[in-house]
Amino acid sequence: MKIMIIDDSEIEIFVSTRLLRGAGMVSTIYTFLEAREGLDFLIRHKHDPETLPDIILLDIHMPLMNGFEFIQALEVAASPSIEKIKIYIVSSTADQREVQDSLNYRMVKQVFGKPLDVELLLNAISES
Amino acid sequence: MEGKVKVLYLDDEPGNVTGFKASFRRLFDVSGFTDPMEALEEASKGVYHVVVADQRMPGLSGVDFFEKLVKRNPEPIRVLLTAYSDNIETIDAINRGQIFRYIRKPWREDEVLEAVHNSYEVYLQRLEVKQKNDELQKAYDALSRFVYSASHDMRAPLMSVLGVIKVARQDEVPNHMFPYLDMIERSINQLSHFNSQLIDYYTNSRGDSNGVSVDLKQLVLNLYEEYQFFPGAQDIRFTLNCEEDVVFEGDSFRLRIVLHNLINNAIKFHKEDGDDRFLEITIRFEQGNLRLTVRDNGQGMEEMHLERIFEMFYRGTRKNSGSGIGLYIVKEAIEKMNGTIRVESKMGEGTCFIIEVLNVKIL
């Protein structure tokens, strides 16, 4: 399984990467500190399912381009391969409205709090 | 003070208007009217400090005129001219026309001068109070926005610490380090709980989310699911009494905040052992009123605490070092829903919170 992590915090990326590696099942992890760069990567490979991730773990509050803007931009640039990607929001938000807003996007499957509970994530992935 | 006091003078007799203008135009900026409707139109514009009107006019009395004016523009201070023969009901005039001063006709110049000056002073004072209130409201809004954004910004690093603790546990950490990790984690969890309460407090203080359709039964079930893994929750039997699954028009955000805090407390302050420890939530609709009770057979509270538990930062125990803000938020949230909450509790026997919201609209 290929996973992309987008989070502006290096510590969060470190934690998520280590927890995912610890759980196995993950072959490739792409990490981006800026949503824009993650987006460029996806668009560059939009017709290349071999490279595209299966899962994106996405933070909401980020400088420059936030999580919502990232999803909107990705929806505009979508290709059949991109549409297969499942997005899971991983956020420290305590704002229920934000959780609701996230779930309104078709590509978003679920919202997780931080720190990431890898077991819950893997269950969610296998169920969807 | 900039410029002259702006006075509107209304009297159906043109001679009186001319006389008033002649006497005071050097001191005040006077506009004279003989037609009440024209005067009303003009006085509603909000440029006058003081409005002086004669009581006896054909068609519309002075008091009636002021009564209409108050509704359209309450700002100018109102002075009524009355003759002895007018025989007006004073209290009625004050209440309806909200009149600040009377002047007897025929008026004396010094009397009018004093009345207009006093009126203008009151006008300025009210203006100042209004400006101060606006500033206060702005400061209050800024403060609560600050609480919100500061709490939000604090959350991310807190969660990072929890993540690092998780990773550390997976690593080959020497055994004696584990208790330290536990302690760090416990403190961070406490801080994070307090932090989400601050965010709830802000969410509650701003705006209204009333009018959303609420399925209270589902809300309770969802919340209880969230609490399944909460320390101590596994040993407590949970019951939900709800005769019918009613959906009503209400405020699901605030109800969530309320239940979240009450369930959290019930679990946190439950007994540490004992048979059949329970938490029971009952939802009842009677004649359009919602009655919600949250009852447990936990530690209970001494009577001396009961009056104070809804105060901000009040803590009745040193155990479970909370912040003392939870029940304050609960009470605030219920008040915003126009409901009431009361508590019954006996030390060692348990606690029951009873919430009532009248006239809910069932969908």
Side-chain angles (χ1 to χ4, degrees):
Chain A
M1 185 162 51
K2 299 184 291 290
I3 293 190
M4 173 184 274
I5 304 173
I6 301 176
D7 197 311
D8 63 307
S9 153
E10 290 182 36
I11 298 181
E12 286 303 330
I13 290 204
F14 165 77
V15 168
S16 297
T17 310
R18 286 289 298 272
L19 293 175
L20 285 167
R21 290 255 183 252
M25 293 180 67
V26 182
S27 57
T28 309
I29 300 180
Y30 305 110
T31 63
F32 291 94
L33 285 161
E34 275 187 31
R36 177 93 244 167
E37 288 171 17
L39 183 70
D40 289 344
F41 176 90
L42 294 170
I43 291 174
R44 233 179 6 258
H45 298 98
K46 67 193 271 187
H47 300 300
D48 178 9
E50 295 300 307
T51 310
L52 286 178
D54 306 290
I55 306 290
I56 299 173
L57 302 184
L58 180 66
D59 187 20
I60 298 178
H61 293 276
M62 292 181 285
L64 301 174
M65 179 184 261
N66 69 29
F68 294 133
E69 289 159 348
F70 169 86
I71 302 172
Q72 285 154 16
L74 190 61
E75 279 175 350
V76 171
S79 69
S81 303
I82 281 182
E83 289 194 5
K84 288 197 186 101
I85 302 174
K86 294 174 183 135
I87 298 179
Y88 292 90
I89 302 287
V90 183
S91 168
S92 56
T93 187
D95 191 332
Q96 283 302 312
R97 283 165 231 241
E98 254 174 27
V99 173
Q100 282 309 317
D101 288 348
S102 311
L103 291 169
N104 286 337
Y105 292 98
R106 200 180 37 77
M107 291 182 80
V108 174
K109 301 301 168 200
Q110 214 169 314
V111 180
F112 291 107
K114 280 180 182 173
L116 180 62
D117 187 326
V118 173
E119 209 175 308
L120 282 185
L121 173 70
L122 294 177
N123 283 342
I125 292 171
S126 64
E127 275 167 24
S128 74
Chain B
M1 265 190 242
E2 52 173 84
K4 292 183 190 167
V5 183
K6 289 192 166 53
V7 180
L8 186 148
Y9 182 83
L10 167 65
D11 195 319
D12 62 302
E13 284 173 47
N16 288 347
V17 175
T18 319
F20 189 93
K21 280 175 112 169
S23 303
F24 299 109
R25 73 167 145 237
R26 275 183 307 109
L27 296 162
F28 311 133
D29 183 349
V30 183
S31 305
F33 288 85
T34 51
D35 176 14
M37 294 326 281
E38 253 177 59
L40 187 65
E41 221 32 71
E42 182 67 15
S44 304
K45 284 179 187 163
V47 289
Y48 294 96
H49 304 126
V50 183
V51 175
V52 182
D54 187 23
Q55 164 65 5
R56 194 188 301 172
M57 294 181 289
L60 198 66
S61 75
V63 174
D64 292 337
F65 168 77
F66 282 137
E67 191 182 11
K68 285 189 196 302
L69 179 59
V70 166
K71 285 185 191 132
R72 295 175 61 165
N73 178 15
E75 277 170 19
I77 307 301
R78 295 162 292 278
V79 177
L80 189 69
L81 293 172
T82 62
Y84 279 105
S85 55
D86 283 343
N87 224 347
I88 62 165
E89 186 64 61
T90 320
I91 292 177
D92 179 59
I94 291 175
N95 287 344
R96 285 201 295 130
Q98 297 180 31
I99 286 148
F100 172 68
R101 270 293 180 91
Y102 291 90
I103 299 176
R104 284 286 176 210
K105 275 174 91 171
W107 44 262
R108 291 201 329 258
E109 212 172 299
D110 60 332
E111 242 184 322
V112 173
L113 272 181
E114 198 200 324
V116 170
H117 277 305
N118 288 352
S119 298
Y120 185 54
E121 239 160 67
V122 170
Y123 177 87
L124 290 179
Q125 281 164 5
R126 286 188 191 166
L127 193 69
E128 198 187 334
V129 168
K130 192 174 169 291
Q131 282 164 351
K132 287 265 185 313
N133 278 342
D134 289 349
E135 282 166 27
L136 268 178
Q137 186 59 44
K138 270 189 202 144
Y140 175 77
D141 290 346
L143 186 64
S144 73
R145 267 201 311 277
F146 170 75
V147 168
Y148 181 70
S149 59
S151 316
H152 242 275
D153 293 350
M154 242 185 270
R155 263 197 100 61
L158 280 178
M159 297 305 111
S160 288
V161 176
L162 289 179
V164 175
I165 295 171
K166 258 187 165 181
V167 174
R169 284 222 183 86
Q170 285 185 359
D171 267 354
E172 308 249 318
V173 181
N175 266 344
H176 70 274
M177 294 300 285
F178 277 102
Y180 300 150
L181 292 177
D182 290 345
M183 282 187 261
I184 297 173
E185 189 176 46
R186 221 180 307 140
S187 293
I188 296 289
N189 276 330
Q190 240 172 49
L191 194 49
S192 132
H193 180 64
F194 177 46
N195 175 274
S196 33
Q197 283 182 317
L198 283 179
I199 291 171
D200 281 351
Y201 171 74
Y202 171 82
T203 315
N204 180 49
S205 73
R206 101 187 135 165
D208 238 322
S209 60
N210 243 316
V212 186
S213 77
V214 185
D215 184 341
L216 199 50
K217 186 180 178 184
Q218 205 49 50
L219 190 74
V220 173
L221 290 175
N222 290 347
L223 269 171
Y224 206 72
E225 208 166 290
E226 281 179 36
Y227 272 95
Q228 265 183 349
F229 302 104
F230 194 78
Q234 296 80 6
D235 307 320
I236 297 167
R237 179 171 60 82
F238 173 70
T239 330
L240 172 61
N241 298 323
C242 181
E243 283 155 20
E244 37 194 338
D245 201 350
V246 179
V247 176
F248 64 97
E249 196 179 291
D251 188 329
S252 61
F253 278 108
R254 292 203 170 95
L255 280 165
R256 196 174 188 286
I257 290 172
V258 168
L259 282 164
H260 189 66
N261 276 288
L262 292 180
I263 295 175
N264 194 303
N265 281 352
I267 298 173
K268 246 187 351 198
F269 298 110
H270 223 290
K271 290 175 182 155
E272 274 161 31
D273 42 37
D275 296 331
D276 194 30
R277 283 177 280 164
F278 68 81
L279 162 59
E280 177 192 79
I281 294 183
T282 308
I283 302 167
R284 207 157 263 147
F285 291 92
E286 278 160 13
Q287 286 140 19
N289 304 330
L290 163 66
R291 191 184 160 96
L292 176 70
T293 55
V294 180
R295 198 161 72 88
D296 65 55
N297 59 351
Q299 294 168 20
M301 286 172 279
E302 284 174 79
E303 208 175 327
M304 55 181 274
H305 297 305
L306 294 183
E307 269 186 22
R308 302 199 56 198
I309 54 171
F310 295 110
E311 286 173 26
M312 193 181 221
F313 300 128
Y314 183 78
R315 288 161 54 195
T317 171
R318 270 195 322 113
K319 201 191 153 226
N320 279 308
S321 40
S323 54
I325 201 173
L327 286 177
Y328 172 75
I329 294 172
V330 165
K331 186 156 197 265
E332 290 272 297
I334 290 172
E335 277 171 5
K336 288 254 162 126
M337 294 188 289
N338 293 322
T340 55
I341 181 166
R342 58 197 172 83
V343 61
E344 292 165 1
S345 185
K346 264 220 169 103
M347 194 65 190
E349 290 182 20
T351 304
C352 182
F353 286 93
I354 302 125
I355 295 161
E356 276 175 313
V357 185
L358 299 185
N359 300 321
V360 295
K361 197 169 144 200
I362 289 161
L363 299 173

